[in-house]
Amino acid sequence: MTRLLPTELSAYLEALVPKRSPELQAMEVDARKTNFPIIGPTSGHLCYLIAKMIGARRIFELGSGFGYSTAFFAKAVQDNGGGVVNHVVWDAKLSKKAKRHLSALGFNDVVKYHVCEAVEALRSAEESFDLIFNDIDKEAYPDALPIIEAKLKPGGVLIVDNMLWSGRVFDPSDKSPETRAILELSHMLTASPHWTSALVPIRDGLMVAFKEPK
Ligand SMILES: C[S@@+](CC[C@H](N)C(=O)[O-])C[C@H]1O[C@@H](n2cnc3c(N)ncnc32)[C@H](O)[C@@H]1O
């Protein structure tokens, strides 16, 4: 991932994030070593803040990895009085690894694990959610939106990662399917009367979208 923000600005923003536990810091080190794309502390903290502000107790993550982003949502759900964060990834090894980390962080009471394709898992969920976080393969972003919209409660919040895609979204020569899909999702969210959204340009860009109550 190309860093879009100047190094000094990134470091300044990161320094404003409350100190993470040794377990979370170890996850950050692991992600750096293995080049695994976690949302990182600044975006993670914003996710925590939003989930906390809206009092989220039912959260669905699409594309959870080894549990780093999940940890921020799980903390918010605990602070909000308890509930469920659905950790969904199609790789059983990653799910197991996430369980180890999230248990060590004390989130056993709020995290539910699913090893499967995330959009199908959301489609078959019986309940609706206060907050949905999307970090799956980027080509799948546009097709996931109608299902997300159906499963998010009115007044719920959608957060989508990588909406700046290392700056490829403003490179007119980039015609890759991932970049097109991200641009398409941006258009779907910003043009729809059902959503009010803003792209927060931290790290790789977090789209924060509010589902308008009808
Ligand atoms: C970007 S990483 C997730 C990082 C995580 N959100 C974090 O910040 O800690 C996306 C993960 O979801 C998996 N994934 C991608 N598309 C998926 C899908 N449609 N269903 C389930 N898992 C998916 C990828 O294999 C990868 O492990």
Side-chain angles (χ1 to χ4, degrees):
M1 197 190 82
T2 309
R3 278 184 174 274
L4 290 169
L5 299 181
T7 311
E8 297 91 331
L9 177 57
S10 288
Y12 179 72
L13 294 175
E14 197 169 314
L16 297 176
V17 174
K19 192 167 164 19
R20 276 92 61 214
S21 65
E23 185 74 20
L24 261 186
Q25 289 184 38
M27 291 165 87
E28 289 165 9
V29 172
D30 182 5
R32 261 197 304 278
K33 274 195 196 148
T34 57
N35 213 15
F36 189 87
I38 58 168
I39 52 170
T42 316
S43 293
H45 185 60
L46 181 62
C47 286
Y48 164 72
L49 175 66
I50 294 167
K52 190 160 166 148
M53 281 165 68
I54 66 166
R57 299 180 78 155
R58 290 163 301 155
I59 295 183
F60 198 99
E61 267 198 326
L62 299 120
S64 302
F66 63 80
Y68 184 81
S69 52
T70 320
F72 289 89
F73 291 120
K75 173 79 169 70
V77 165
Q78 277 186 342
D79 290 356
N80 291 339
V84 177
V85 181
N86 290 279
H87 174 286
V88 190
V89 76
W90 50 25
D91 179 331
K93 251 168 105 178
L94 277 178
S95 184
K96 258 190 166 165
K97 188 171 171 180
K99 201 169 193 172
R100 278 201 305 276
H101 285 302
L102 294 163
S103 296
L105 286 162
F107 296 134
N108 275 341
D109 57 331
V110 290
V111 183
K112 203 170 154 190
Y113 299 88
H114 312 259
V115 179
C116 53
E117 200 290 312
V119 183
E120 280 315 306
L122 178 61
R123 193 201 298 273
S124 47
E126 275 166 18
E127 72 271 53
S128 60
F129 298 94
D130 304 316
L131 189 153
I132 297 177
F133 173 67
N134 193 2
D135 198 8
I136 55 172
D137 287 352
K138 310 311 152 193
E139 279 179 72
Y141 274 8
D143 286 349
L145 188 63
I147 295 135
I148 291 170
E149 197 168 313
K151 295 293 179 178
L152 194 62
K153 70 164 200 200
V157 171
L158 165 66
I159 305 175
V160 190
D161 194 26
N162 305 110
M163 292 301 283
L164 286 172
W165 205 225
S166 297
R168 278 167 274 180
V169 289
F170 43 80
D171 174 359
S173 71
D174 190 325
K175 306 281 184 224
S176 68
E178 293 89 352
T179 304
R180 282 166 183 261
I182 290 167
L183 289 169
E184 188 181 341
L185 178 66
S186 276
H187 178 72
M188 288 164 88
L189 285 170
T190 52
S192 166
H194 303 303
W195 295 95
T196 299
S197 49
L199 179 48
V200 184
I202 53 175
R203 208 191 63 108
D204 201 26
L206 275 186
M207 183 72 92
V208 181
F210 172 75
K211 181 178 160 181
E212 293 292 342
K214 294 250 157 58

